[in-house]
Amino acid sequence: MNRIGIIGFGALGSFYANMIGNEHRVEGVTVGAICDIDAEKREKARSLFPQVPVYSSADEILDSGNCDFVSVAVPHYVHPEITMKAIRKGMPVIVEKPAGIIPSTVREMNACSQEHPDVPFGIMWNQRTNRVFRKLHDITASGEMGALRQVVWISRQFRTQRYYDSGTWRATWGGEGGGVIVNQAPHQIDLLQWIFGMPKRVYATTNFGYHRSIAVENDVCAEFAYENGATGVFITCTDDVLGEDRLTAVYDKGRIRVFDSRRMEIEKLCDDEETIGTDYSDEKINTLKRNGKLFETIVFEKEDEPFANSEHAKVFRAFSEHMAKPEKPLVAEGTDGIYEVLLASAIQLSGWLKQPVDLPVDDELFLSELNKRILAEGKYSTR
Amino acid sequence: MNRIGIIGFGALGSFYANMIGNEHRVEGVTVGAICDIDAEKREKARSLFPQVPVYSSADEILDSGNCDFVSVAVPHYVHPEITMKAIRKGMPVIVEKPAGIIPSTVREMNACSQEHPDVPFGIMWNQRTNRVFRKLHDITASGEMGALRQVVWISRQFRTQRYYDSGTWRATWGGEGGGVIVNQAPHQIDLLQWIFGMPKRVYATTNFGYHRSIAVENDVCAEFAYENGATGVFITCTDDVLGEDRLTAVYDKGRIRVFDSRRMEIEKLCDDEETIGTDYSDEKINTLKRNGKLFETIVFEKEDEPFANSEHAKVFRAFSEHMAKPEKPLVAEGTDGIYEVLLASAIQLSGWLKQPVDLPVDDELFLSELNKRILAEGKYSTR
């Protein structure tokens, strides 16, 4: 049995403790220890898990001898700092997403991990376990659809004002580090970069406190330019009660659409589009269309989850198995978190400056613009 | 009977002559005269319409006494010049779309029209007769859906290399003035501005000769920012044999989607989204969802066209009726063409400069950038 140490007993940490400690959803893993800097949360942990030792600092839990690996479920800003503490003590660690807010701190975390290559380091990209996205990743990487020409992901979400009012740190520059880009959308941003690679340029039109009383961004329309000429659009918001989740990727040899992150429709052309557009006669194209032979359609669906949030359990299980057998892969290497942070910070910086931004972003410029917003907010110290 | 004079006997002019002169599709209108500066086209006109006088210049047809109004179906660049000739001679005129390529020439045309307010002046925005778009226009203007929050129109089209090779002027900077933006997409660009108003800022990522051997743009991903904070995306290309035509407009009070410019689905919320997100309890929202009362869906479809391209016939008929009874409205006032030209030129300029562009565009900057491309192309004189 591997004993997990849960660092941070907020919404996520307490959910993990329940999933692993009470529901026994992660084979081979048990709850070894819990830690929170907040006395009230420690009290809650003790009452819910009376048999589990509870600590008040990361150092204490890391030195306790009561855990074999840790989950870092603290505020985004602090992810790199706490993760580095674990790595330096040789403690295997899974960090929450996003890997951090400030790219330079995530680079530092990655450098630390590279100095300790034997310490397993993962990141909670649970949506990478969705077999629809795995398949999309594999098809794209295989080249069987040819090169990407365009990807459009519209992910319009809904959060109530009550949700925003439920924690003082929520949707703040200084506490959370942003809005929809760092809280709701990191999965989509990571999947975009994981599947389609990093764009070279980003331009975003961003609205702050759009139809909600918050300081941070909650309505973002971002455009990407990729090195090969492909373009991308990523739309996300939290003010759409109807909601929409629709991904369309167009390639040289066809199109793949994913509806509601569940149902994937692959339309594979009989030939490369450029060849059809250049060498095929109009008659040949029309005949292919008429006979339904221009493309074939393959449908691929996400399996039903055996229990709510089973994706998180898969990430923990893979991590635990990797600890026993290092040849077993993680769902996502911890060092991989930097790409999502770079793409997210480019979207943020472009929205702040109202100008296109080339990747990678200028770390100092990003930090100084972020600090301007923390200062204007007046609730937290600058970073 | 109103006799139409057709100026320009290319693909469009000969189509109009056939629709009106042979098929009698426009009640109250007959073909009075035809004109083309090209001898071969005049020969073709004479053989197809032996009873119709054929002229070799705009001045001749305008002075002939054989027509009561004219259709200007000449290359885009020349639209304003020929249209002004007609207006100055007191000849009612319908100009083709786009109204022109260079905004300053279209402004000049509009000034000329304003000096001759009694000369009817229309523009061939035939898709404004589509009752789906009329309804979308009216709903948006009425305010019953509240303010616009976002509009996304994906209009991915297909043109073969053969199509591009079919005329030396096709897809050239100097001859046609651009690619998909000035040839295939003007209808969508006009409908966007007609229905949702003009954005204040445009950013476009543009590919030139994308998977086709042409000099001009045929793959454009444009992002709009509107004055009220709403955002927009307009995607168009000519290298997609699968094709896509999908418009989504999100408003304060719901969403309207138009599929294939034919089928409109209106999803009208029971209340303003912000009110739902702020004042409704989670329980109330869930109950509304469960009972199917969160929104109502109304479907509205385009009528079948009685004959191919009947929309053009409607524009001519409305124009002819307006000549007899000035209180009868045109489908589109000719002076209205400037907005599409301004939006199109902002998209072009942004794609050329790889920078966001504020509207209205700087006329001189636009022209100098266009001339750079005409010069590099080396086929036509600069403008």
Side-chain angles (χ1 to χ4, degrees):
Chain A
M1 274 302 211
N2 274 321
R3 299 162 304 164
I4 189 172
I6 294 168
I7 304 181
F9 200 70
L12 212 51
S14 55
F15 157 65
Y16 290 158
N18 184 59
M19 177 174 78
I20 297 168
N22 287 336
E23 297 179 350
H24 309 291
R25 296 294 198 183
V26 185
E27 208 186 301
V29 177
T30 183
V31 178
I34 293 170
C35 141
D36 205 291
I37 56 169
D38 181 77
E40 220 172 283
K41 284 185 184 148
R42 287 198 298 276
E43 204 40 61
K44 190 181 153 204
R46 283 193 192 98
S47 75
L48 288 169
F49 301 91
Q51 77 292 7
V52 174
V54 175
Y55 302 97
S56 62
S57 77
D59 283 319
E60 278 179 282
I61 191 172
L62 289 168
D63 295 335
S64 71
N66 286 320
C67 40
D68 303 305
F69 73 106
V70 291
S71 154
V72 173
V74 299
H76 310 326
Y77 274 118
V78 203
H79 286 167
E81 180 192 327
I82 305 293
T83 301
M84 285 191 288
K85 266 188 201 289
I87 291 173
R88 288 189 183 123
K89 286 177 192 279
M91 178 67 77
V93 53
I94 302 184
V95 69
E96 276 308 314
K97 67 277 156 186
I101 296 295
I102 302 164
S104 58
T105 65
V106 179
R107 292 185 212 277
E108 205 187 330
M109 174 173 76
N110 283 0
C112 174
S113 169
Q114 274 144 17
E115 285 163 22
H116 299 80
D118 295 336
V119 182
F121 172 33
I123 182 165
M124 185 53 80
W125 288 128
N126 49 282
Q127 289 199 22
R128 289 199 196 177
T129 66
N130 180 336
R131 71 174 181 182
V132 162
F133 292 125
R134 295 189 80 82
K135 181 94 170 173
L136 182 58
H137 173 272
D138 293 348
I139 292 173
T140 305
S142 76
E144 64 177 282
M145 294 294 279
L148 180 73
R149 294 187 180 184
Q150 183 163 75
V151 55
V152 176
W153 197 343
I154 299 172
S155 171
R156 297 182 59 91
Q157 309 185 30
F158 181 64
R159 294 295 182 281
T160 61
Q161 186 62 42
R162 210 161 29 257
Y163 162 83
Y164 285 120
D165 297 341
S166 69
T168 52
W169 52 275
R170 273 204 195 280
T172 59
W173 293 116
E176 191 163 16
V180 67
I181 290 299
V182 304
N183 194 316
Q184 286 79 35
H187 287 294
Q188 287 79 14
I189 297 172
D190 174 61
L191 290 168
L192 280 169
Q193 74 78 18
W194 182 54
I195 297 168
F196 304 108
M198 291 290 277
K200 62 173 184 170
R201 197 163 219 231
V202 169
Y203 177 81
T205 307
T206 302
N207 283 302
F208 307 91
Y210 200 53
H211 303 289
R212 296 295 185 273
S213 181
I214 52 174
V216 297
E217 86 289 348
N218 68 325
D219 177 77
V220 177
C221 180
E223 185 171 335
F224 304 150
Y226 295 89
E227 192 61 48
N228 77 337
T231 51
V233 169
F234 177 57
I235 288 171
T236 192
C237 71
T238 62
D239 67 330
D240 192 340
V241 70
L242 293 172
E244 188 172 4
D245 180 3
R246 184 183 165 90
L247 184 160
T248 305
V250 182
Y251 304 81
D252 289 339
K253 296 182 184 173
R255 175 169 71 188
I256 302 181
R257 292 185 287 193
V258 181
F259 306 94
D260 295 319
S261 297
R262 291 199 63 85
R263 179 185 168 85
M264 176 159 69
E265 289 181 13
I266 304 163
E267 292 165 303
K268 197 170 178 182
L269 287 167
C270 60
D271 206 339
D272 186 282
E273 197 278 343
E274 189 174 325
T275 306
I276 296 171
T278 306
D279 298 341
Y280 283 35
S281 68
D282 290 347
E283 200 197 324
K284 185 170 176 181
I285 296 169
N286 288 333
T287 305
L288 285 166
K289 280 187 183 173
R290 223 175 16 247
N291 300 342
K293 303 233 159 140
L294 182 66
F295 61 93
E296 58 167 337
T297 305
I298 302 146
V299 173
F300 190 85
E301 305 235 16
K302 182 178 192 288
E303 70 271 51
D304 286 328
E305 287 196 72
F307 53 92
N309 301 98
S310 66
E311 292 178 344
H312 295 83
K314 282 187 197 166
V315 174
F316 283 128
R317 184 172 169 175
F319 192 87
S320 173
E321 290 178 352
H322 171 81
M323 284 171 62
K325 296 183 180 166
E327 68 277 15
K328 288 211 166 188
L330 298 179
V331 170
E333 294 283 341
T335 49
D336 209 36
I338 185 70
Y339 303 109
E340 187 278 335
V341 174
L342 287 177
L343 187 46
S345 55
I347 294 170
Q348 293 285 52
L349 188 59
S350 176
W352 295 337
L353 302 179
K354 300 178 188 294
Q355 288 298 332
V357 165
D358 290 324
L359 273 84
V361 295
D362 178 329
D363 279 359
E364 279 177 39
L365 179 61
F366 175 83
L367 186 55
S368 88
E369 289 293 327
L370 175 61
N371 275 329
K372 279 187 201 168
R373 283 154 184 86
I374 295 174
L375 217 55
E377 185 174 62
K379 292 182 184 171
Y380 296 85
S381 317
T382 54
R383 296 280 166 177
Chain B
M1 275 303 211
N2 274 322
R3 298 162 305 163
I4 189 173
I6 294 169
I7 305 181
F9 199 70
L12 212 50
S14 54
F15 157 63
Y16 290 158
N18 184 59
M19 178 175 78
I20 297 168
N22 287 337
E23 298 180 349
H24 310 290
R25 296 293 199 185
V26 185
E27 206 185 303
V29 178
T30 183
V31 178
I34 294 170
C35 142
D36 204 291
I37 54 168
D38 181 75
E40 220 171 285
K41 284 185 183 148
R42 288 198 297 276
E43 204 40 59
K44 190 180 153 202
R46 283 194 190 98
S47 75
L48 289 169
F49 301 92
Q51 77 291 9
V52 174
V54 175
Y55 301 98
S56 63
S57 77
D59 283 319
E60 278 179 281
I61 192 172
L62 290 168
D63 295 336
S64 70
N66 286 319
C67 41
D68 304 305
F69 73 106
V70 291
S71 155
V72 173
V74 298
H76 310 326
Y77 273 118
V78 203
H79 287 167
E81 181 191 327
I82 305 292
T83 301
M84 286 191 288
K85 268 187 199 291
I87 292 173
R88 289 191 182 120
K89 286 176 192 282
M91 177 67 77
V93 53
I94 303 185
V95 69
E96 276 308 313
K97 69 276 157 189
I101 296 294
I102 302 165
S104 58
T105 65
V106 179
R107 291 186 212 278
E108 208 188 325
M109 175 174 75
N110 283 0
C112 174
S113 169
Q114 274 144 18
E115 285 163 20
H116 300 81
D118 296 334
V119 183
F121 173 34
I123 182 166
M124 184 54 78
W125 288 128
N126 48 285
Q127 290 199 20
R128 289 199 197 175
T129 66
N130 179 337
R131 72 174 183 183
V132 162
F133 292 126
R134 296 188 79 83
K135 181 94 171 173
L136 182 58
H137 172 272
D138 293 348
I139 292 174
T140 305
S142 75
E144 65 176 280
M145 294 293 280
L148 180 73
R149 294 187 180 184
Q150 182 163 76
V151 56
V152 176
W153 196 343
I154 298 172
S155 172
R156 297 181 59 91
Q157 308 185 30
F158 180 63
R159 294 296 182 279
T160 61
Q161 186 62 43
R162 214 162 23 257
Y163 162 83
Y164 285 120
D165 297 340
S166 69
T168 52
W169 53 274
R170 273 204 194 283
T172 59
W173 294 116
E176 191 162 17
V180 67
I181 290 299
V182 305
N183 194 317
Q184 286 78 35
H187 287 294
Q188 286 79 16
I189 297 172
D190 174 61
L191 290 168
L192 280 169
Q193 74 76 19
W194 182 54
I195 297 168
F196 304 107
M198 291 290 277
K200 61 172 186 170
R201 196 163 221 232
V202 169
Y203 176 81
T205 307
T206 302
N207 283 302
F208 307 90
Y210 200 53
H211 302 289
R212 297 293 185 272
S213 181
I214 52 174
V216 296
E217 85 289 349
N218 68 324
D219 177 78
V220 177
C221 180
E223 185 171 335
F224 304 151
Y226 295 89
E227 192 61 49
N228 78 337
T231 51
V233 168
F234 177 57
I235 287 171
T236 192
C237 71
T238 62
D239 66 331
D240 193 341
V241 69
L242 293 171
E244 187 171 4
D245 179 5
R246 184 184 164 91
L247 185 159
T248 305
V250 182
Y251 304 81
D252 289 340
K253 295 181 184 175
R255 175 169 70 187
I256 302 181
R257 292 184 287 192
V258 181
F259 305 94
D260 296 318
S261 296
R262 292 198 63 84
R263 179 186 168 85
M264 176 158 70
E265 290 182 13
I266 304 163
E267 292 165 304
K268 197 170 178 184
L269 288 167
C270 61
D271 205 338
D272 187 282
E273 196 279 343
E274 189 173 327
T275 307
I276 295 171
T278 307
D279 298 342
Y280 283 35
S281 68
D282 291 345
E283 199 197 324
K284 185 170 177 183
I285 296 169
N286 288 333
T287 306
L288 284 166
K289 280 187 182 173
R290 220 172 20 244
N291 300 341
K293 303 231 159 141
L294 182 65
F295 61 93
E296 59 167 335
T297 305
I298 303 146
V299 173
F300 190 84
E301 306 235 15
K302 182 178 191 291
E303 72 270 51
D304 287 326
E305 287 196 73
F307 52 93
N309 301 97
S310 66
E311 292 178 344
H312 295 84
K314 282 188 198 165
V315 174
F316 284 127
R317 185 172 169 174
F319 192 86
S320 173
E321 290 178 353
H322 172 81
M323 284 170 63
K325 297 184 180 164
E327 68 276 15
K328 287 211 168 186
L330 298 178
V331 170
E333 294 284 340
T335 49
D336 210 36
I338 185 69
Y339 303 110
E340 187 278 334
V341 174
L342 288 176
L343 187 46
S345 53
I347 295 171
Q348 293 286 51
L349 188 59
S350 175
W352 295 337
L353 302 179
K354 300 176 187 294
Q355 288 297 333
V357 165
D358 289 325
L359 272 83
V361 295
D362 178 328
D363 280 359
E364 280 177 41
L365 179 61
F366 175 82
L367 186 56
S368 88
E369 288 293 327
L370 175 60
N371 275 330
K372 278 187 202 169
R373 281 152 188 86
I374 295 174
L375 217 53
E377 185 174 60
K379 292 183 184 170
Y380 297 85
S381 318
T382 54
R383 296 280 164 178

